[in-house]
Amino acid sequence: EPEVTQTPSHQVTQMGQEVILRCVPISNHLYFYWYRQILGQKVEFLVSFYNNEISEKSEIFDDQFSVERPDGSNFTLKIRSTKLEDSAMYFCASSEEPYLMTEAFFGQGTRLTVV
Amino acid sequence: ILNVEQSPQSLHVQEGDSTNFTCSFPSSNFYALHWYRWETAKSPEALFVMTLNGDEKKKGRISATLNTKEGYSYLYIKGSQPEDSATYLCACLNTGFQKLVFGTGTRLLVSP
């Protein structure tokens, strides 16, 4: 069964360092998303991406964040200068249809710890 | 601001018990409601996507209903099994947006 895969599963980084979280969405999906969950809080939306551009982003997704689909299969989230409050589980998701009329498929997540 | 609430926060039942959880959301600008099942160390897995008032969906022992006029959805599990233990997340989508807004989840533990 097709699945969304994320790497690494766990990343520890020092405050101020850049991190890149990687995702391979399901191959025939066209809509891609990043969400995150800070420990003890709700899962929250970061960004949606379609046709090689951001289609929607949240207030959290400031200039420190960027997304890219560099090679037609990977979908990456970059945090330029990490802060302690960026520590969270980051989930990538993809879907076949726009506006999530059908289910989103989520990866297992990358746990980012900023020290 | 779209705020999605779920209750209860956690639930502990015995194997064979039937149970249900609630997801509530603002009814204005409603577009779709998703239910996900999330086991520890695994990906959240979609259970249902519901869009129409009065929708009822079923997958095995799990079913869900949707009331968009009053802004709630129920998830039912009939005859709970230990493998049903997971966090059940609901997420709401408003018209014109592409982001799912999640509730806090209901953590279900089913004891043998």
Side-chain angles (χ1 to χ4, degrees):
Chain A
E1 189 175 320
E3 58 180 18
V4 175
T5 56
Q6 290 186 242
T7 54
S9 55
H10 191 183
Q11 171 117 27
V12 181
T13 189
Q14 291 215 323
M15 194 167 56
Q17 295 296 302
E18 175 183 286
V19 294
I20 297 177
L21 310 183
R22 300 179 194 281
C23 168
V24 179
I26 293 173
S27 60
N28 64 330
H29 286 184
L30 299 176
Y31 303 88
F32 313 114
Y33 314 88
W34 284 99
Y35 286 80
R36 77 176 186 187
Q37 187 187 37
I38 295 170
L39 193 63
Q41 298 186 23
K42 294 181 179 182
V43 175
E44 52 189 357
F45 168 80
L46 292 177
V47 66
S48 59
F49 190 86
Y50 168 69
N51 200 25
N52 279 321
E53 59 183 35
I54 290 172
S55 43
E56 190 172 345
K57 61 182 181 178
S58 71
E59 296 164 353
I60 304 164
F61 196 88
D62 62 20
D63 292 344
Q64 293 300 311
F65 291 87
S66 62
V67 289
E68 199 176 35
R69 190 156 158 80
D71 57 13
S73 62
N74 290 287
F75 178 51
T76 61
L77 174 70
K78 183 193 290 187
I79 309 175
R80 283 190 189 81
S81 176
T82 49
K83 308 186 201 64
L84 294 175
E85 54 265 37
D86 294 328
S87 296
M89 180 76 94
Y90 287 80
F91 291 99
C92 171
S94 68
S95 65
E96 264 187 289
E97 296 187 19
Y99 298 105
L100 290 162
M101 285 293 286
T102 56
E103 62 200 316
F105 289 80
F106 283 82
Q108 286 184 294
T110 293
R111 181 166 296 285
L112 176 66
T113 304
V114 182
V115 296
Chain B
I1 296 175
L2 176 53
N3 190 34
V4 178
E5 298 292 341
Q6 289 187 249
S7 62
Q9 266 196 318
S10 62
L11 199 52
H12 185 185
V13 302
Q14 297 298 308
E15 183 175 356
D17 288 349
S18 293
T19 187
N20 65 85
F21 333 126
T22 305
C23 173
S24 55
F25 52 87
S27 53
S28 59
N29 300 314
F30 172 84
Y31 191 69
L33 187 104
H34 291 218
W35 279 102
Y36 290 88
R37 180 172 175 276
W38 185 16
E39 286 183 75
T40 304
K42 294 189 177 179
S43 312
E45 175 197 351
L47 291 171
F48 306 112
V49 177
M50 307 170 81
T51 56
L52 299 175
N53 185 46
D55 254 355
E56 289 188 31
K57 295 211 172 179
K58 191 174 178 185
K59 188 184 280 192
R61 293 179 290 99
I62 305 177
S63 59
T65 60
L66 178 66
N67 183 323
T68 61
K69 293 187 177 176
E70 296 181 40
Y72 64 84
S73 174
Y74 293 139
L75 187 82
Y76 300 93
I77 303 179
K78 188 177 174 183
S80 304
Q81 299 296 307
E83 58 263 32
D84 295 328
S85 298
T87 295
Y88 291 82
L89 294 167
C90 77
C92 196
L93 196 66
N94 266 3
T95 306
F97 293 93
Q98 296 193 39
K99 62 178 183 183
L100 288 169
V101 177
F102 283 84
T104 46
T106 292
R107 186 174 298 175
L108 174 68
L109 178 61
V110 183
S111 295

